[in-house]
Amino acid sequence: ALMKRLAHEAKPRLRIDGVVGGQPFHGAFQPTGEGRYYLIVSKKFRKAVGLEIGDRTEVSFSIADQNAVDVPRELQFALEADEALNQIWIHLTPGRRRGLAYRVASAKRSETRENRVDEVLETLRLMSRE
């Protein structure tokens, strides 16, 4: 019923910006296939708000830009330095861009982040040959 009220039936997931358990949250409602939805939150986030898997909590939210992608600055700089690869990046689906950006952003050490930027650039180069 939530997605119908939000007039968002065309997309199975709904990206949101909001507050979960009193903490800011960016994520997506995920469909269960039974007309119900859930949020996936990290273990670190659950600990911060004192929630366990399966707990119910209050969520306030607004609908986020469904095509938004948070690009780590290392990756952004690399894309700005190579127009051909940047054009390939721009034409990827938002979901594909989010996945590649997350690959870089999830690395803790700067050296690992730089290595992953190189991996993403190589992935884009391979796409250009297809």
Side-chain angles (χ1 to χ4, degrees), residues 14-122:
L14 179 64
R15 296 180 58 76
I16 64 165
D17 293 323
V19 177
V20 176
Q23 294 292 317
F25 179 79
H26 307 285
F29 284 119
Q30 305 286 332
T32 64
E34 303 164 2
R36 299 177 68 164
Y37 292 80
Y38 61 94
L39 291 173
I40 296 176
V41 296
S42 69
K43 184 176 182 178
K44 182 178 178 181
F45 185 87
R46 284 195 324 269
K47 282 187 173 190
V49 296
L51 294 172
E52 296 294 329
I53 293 175
D55 284 355
R56 292 179 180 260
T57 188
E58 185 171 315
V59 176
S60 60
F61 67 94
S62 60
I63 298 172
D65 177 354
Q66 299 302 296
N67 294 322
V69 179
D70 293 327
V71 181
R73 94 184 130 84
E74 300 94 337
L75 180 56
Q76 186 65 46
F77 292 153
L79 291 169
E80 288 171 359
D82 189 320
E83 184 57 31
L85 294 182
N86 194 39
Q87 285 303 310
I88 295 167
W89 173 264
I90 290 168
H91 289 94
L92 295 176
T93 65
R96 180 78 167 137
R97 281 183 276 150
R98 272 192 294 276
L100 292 169
Y102 178 77
R103 174 86 176 124
V104 174
S106 64
K108 294 179 179 146
R109 295 180 354 172
S110 62
E111 180 181 318
T112 305
R113 289 170 72 96
E114 290 297 333
N115 288 339
R116 290 185 182 177
V117 166
D118 291 342
E119 290 174 10
V120 169
L121 297 178
E122 183 58 27

